[in-house]
Amino acid sequence: MVLALCAFVGAITFGQEKEPTVPEATEIYEPVPPKVIPGKNGSAPSDAIVLFDGSNLDQWISAVDSTVAKWHLNRDGSMTVKDKTGDIQTKQNFGSVQLHIEWRSPAEVNGEGQSRANSGVFLSGLYEIQVLDNNDNSTYVNGQVGSIYKQHVPLAMASVPSGEWNSYDIIYHAPEFEKGQKVKSGTLTVIQNGVLIQDNVEIKGTTPYIGWPKNPPHGKGPLRLQDHRDNSRVSYRNIWLRELD
């Protein structure tokens, strides 16, 4: 009897059947992966959806009332939170994605704790990766920069000095639901400035300020950026993603 213990690599199954004796028996030729032309210096690869290139806010709307996004569009190709106008989100909805986004806290330090350059990147509009200036500014570690808010402490604090540009490269696999119940948790991997800070961690649910994570069933959702409503002055630039589903 052959044991049902197998590992899968591509379309090849390694089990306890007779081992191949010719190299061709373990070679596969289809499907051929699509060709993607990489970007340079953080720019978008050829198959990416560019959500913000500095020229306009056409891909974004107010998360409050779906009107035109009211954040500041800057001459240097960035956008900055306009205080107390509310979060903004993409017009388009997405599921699992590879996301690149760059953000900057203001060089002029103002506030402390959670009130210093606080913003956030929300996947599916629900799951927050924290943006915060933690340089010489301590706070609860499951709410510091790079945390999956109130769920996962980052593996490292990899921020650049205040006023310089940070990058987040994020791999997000959305949770799966059947008949209104979660059947598979989502996961997040985050690399900040080239440093792995979240390693395929489980998304336990929503990321509320108060209370436990919740798991409302959902499909694809927007990418949302937070206005913390305390004069955060956080700026963003060079936002693109690749759909993974």
Side-chain angles (χ1 to χ4, degrees), residues 38-85:
K40 297 181 179 180
N41 300 319
S43 64
S46 60
D47 65 342
I49 297 172
V50 177
L51 296 172
F52 181 68
D53 64 3
S55 59
N56 58 63
L57 291 168
D58 291 353
Q59 301 297 316
W60 302 81
I61 56 175
S62 167
V64 178
D65 56 13
S66 298
T67 58
V68 173
K70 301 174 180 65
W71 287 15
H72 300 289
L73 187 63
N74 305 316
R75 293 181 179 178
D76 66 355
S78 68
M79 61 173 162
T80 301
V81 178
K82 185 175 181 180
D83 191 38
K84 296 182 176 61
T85 59

Side-chain angles (χ1 to χ4, degrees), residues 8 44 75 80 123 127 134 175 202 219-220 222 233:
F8 293 87
R75 293 181 179 178
T80 301
L123 284 306
Y127 313 116
N134 275 132
E202 177 188 2
K220 294 184 177 183
R233 299 170 294 149

